[in-house]
Amino acid sequence: LVLSIGENMKVRRFERMDGIVSTYIHGGGSVGVMVGFDVADESKASAPEFDAMGKNVAMQIAAMSPAYLDEASVPAELAAQMKEDPKMASKPEAVLAKIAAGKMGKYYKENCLVDQEFVRSDLFQGSVKGYVDSVAKELGTEIKLNGFIRMMKGDGLEKREENFAEEIAKQING
């Protein structure tokens, strides 16, 4: 079987997820999300409540663009960099520890999916992890988020840098 579209297409990114995956495509294809789950009782993954939860978590990812799944996913260099802020050099060690913990907590809440405030407050008040745990309890199983992939139309395209003066000079000089 040969499929011919008749267009010059280049695949810039291809990703695959194993396990139980929920998907969501937003805005006519402008953002696509895959989110993976580990479910203790896989028969519960076909329940309508699980499908709705998976879609809601994928919508959260599309809307809030988390950079990491959880705190363990944040590179250690980033955490160390935040703690070594030059503005903090003159502060006592005990104060530094509290400020660093506060900054890291705020960073995690904004950038880690499981720590983000769930955007569908009409369904659940609390974090994404709390929402997933509440659905797991309702279904009588354990559900764990194990990863996500968020793709946006145009990802990977670098803007062409043009220097108009250089272009004119090249045309004049030959």
Side-chain angles (χ1 to χ4, degrees), residues 14-171:
F14 177 84
E15 304 239 8
R16 182 177 166 215
M17 291 188 87
D18 293 325
I20 298 167
V21 177
S22 294
T23 61
Y24 174 70
I25 296 176
H26 179 75
S30 62
V31 176
V33 174
M34 293 189 305
V35 58
F37 298 94
D38 287 330
V39 183
D41 180 356
E42 289 191 11
S43 68
K44 305 284 183 167
S46 60
E49 296 87 354
F50 182 88
D51 288 340
M53 182 269 308
K55 183 178 179 185
N56 286 329
V57 172
M59 286 173 36
Q60 169 90 19
I61 296 165
M64 302 303 291
S65 302
Y68 307 101
L69 175 65
D70 54 18
E71 295 175 19
S73 304
V74 177
E77 308 87 59
L78 186 62
Q81 193 177 47
M82 289 178 77
K83 290 177 183 175
E84 294 170 5
D85 188 344
K87 296 177 201 168
M88 306 295 175
S90 63
K91 302 208 184 297
E93 191 64 36
V95 173
L96 276 176
K98 286 184 179 181
I99 292 172
K103 279 187 172 192
M104 290 306 295
K106 182 177 185 227
Y107 182 82
Y108 292 145
K109 192 170 177 127
E110 292 172 358
N111 294 286
C112 295
L113 174 63
V114 297
D115 295 329
Q116 284 183 340
E117 191 70 25
F118 187 58
V119 293
R120 293 278 317 265
S121 59
D122 59 318
L123 296 177
F124 182 80
Q125 299 283 326
S127 69
V128 172
K129 183 179 182 339
Y131 171 62
V132 172
D133 290 346
S134 73
V135 172
K137 184 176 180 182
E138 181 182 333
L139 292 174
T141 189
E142 288 183 37
I143 301 172
K144 180 180 178 272
L145 280 154
N146 66 14
F148 68 88
I149 298 166
R150 182 182 189 276
M151 293 188 183
M152 190 168 165
K153 188 183 274 184
D155 274 351
L157 288 178
E158 285 79 34
K159 285 190 173 182
R160 209 164 88 188
E161 296 287 326
E162 295 182 11
N163 184 331
F164 189 64
E166 267 183 33
E167 191 176 320
I168 300 262
K170 282 182 187 176
Q171 288 177 358

